[in-house]
Structure formats: structure tokens, C-alpha cells
Amino acid sequence: KAQKVFHVGQPGEISVGLSPIDIVHAINNLTEQVVVVPGKDKLSIEAQNNGTLLFKSLLRSTLASKRVLQEHRLSGEAFHWLIGEIEQRFLQSIVNPGEMIGTVAAQSIGEPA
């Protein structure tokens, strides 16, 4: 969607204003900001790492600097917008403890669309 909003990614177009080191720093900052288990004790830190391990792996593989610059051809503005969207959607997806999501998940498995 960022390619359509910012009109980037056209064939032959070169990304301007975005370097690989900027991408790495932005991904590292994003992975530090997404918190599932707050706390500074050893158990909370381990739970946070376990809870976000797959998300971080997917984020780093999908938004690798080479893919962002050569395959997706995102500009600096488009990339930072994308990072903000990912953070916003991640934070929206977190549910409160005790919320009954098992029933909804079971229904969606039992009745595929």
C-alpha cells in the first residue's frame, strides 16, 4: 500500500533518501517499541523475547534493506510511514488479559470463510 500512497516502486526508479543503515536502525527501534510483556525482571524479559521472536524474524526478513531498496523501491518517507503502520497495527492487535478470544478463534477455524 505504501507504494500506491507515495507513488514509488515504478520500474527503473531508484530509492532516494534511504540508506541500508537507516533501515536497520528503524527496524531495531520498532522491535524495541513493540512490547507484549512489560517489565524489567528476568522472567518478563524472557517472556517478551519469546512472545515477539517470530514477529521480529518476519519483520527482519520482509523488510531487509536489500528488499526495501531494490525490490520494493521505497523512499524514506514511504518506509517510515510503513514502519508507523506496522507499529500501529501491532499495538491494535494486543488483547487484554482475560479477554475471551479462544471462542472466536475456534469459530473461525470451524467455519472457514
Side-chain angles (χ1 to χ4, degrees):
K1 185 173 178 180
Q3 290 175 332
K4 291 180 183 178
V5 171
F6 292 95
H7 305 290
V8 294
Q10 307 303 325
E13 186 177 319
I14 299 173
S15 297
V16 179
L18 189 62
S19 69
I21 196 73
D22 293 335
I23 295 170
V24 171
H25 286 307
I27 297 296
N28 287 339
N29 289 339
L30 178 61
T31 58
E32 291 173 5
Q33 291 174 356
V34 292
V35 177
V36 177
V37 182
K40 297 293 182 189
D41 59 297
K42 194 172 185 178
L43 186 60
S44 296
I45 292 171
E46 184 177 350
Q48 169 66 19
N49 289 337
N50 291 338
T52 57
L53 180 66
L54 290 176
F55 175 73
K56 290 177 182 179
S57 299
L58 179 64
L59 189 65
R60 288 190 175 113
S61 65
T62 305
L63 295 179
S65 57
K66 185 175 182 179
R67 289 186 74 187
V68 169
L69 294 173
Q70 292 180 354
E71 186 178 324
H72 302 300
R73 296 184 188 100
L74 295 179
S75 65
E77 184 182 3
F79 178 72
H80 291 295
W81 176 83
L82 178 64
I83 292 292
E85 283 290 311
I86 292 170
E87 180 183 5
Q88 179 184 8
R89 290 183 186 198
F90 182 89
L91 295 175
Q92 286 176 349
S93 69
I94 296 175
V95 297
N96 294 322
E99 193 168 332
M100 296 195 300
I101 60 167
T103 307
V104 175
Q107 286 176 348
S108 64
I109 291 172
E111 295 180 22

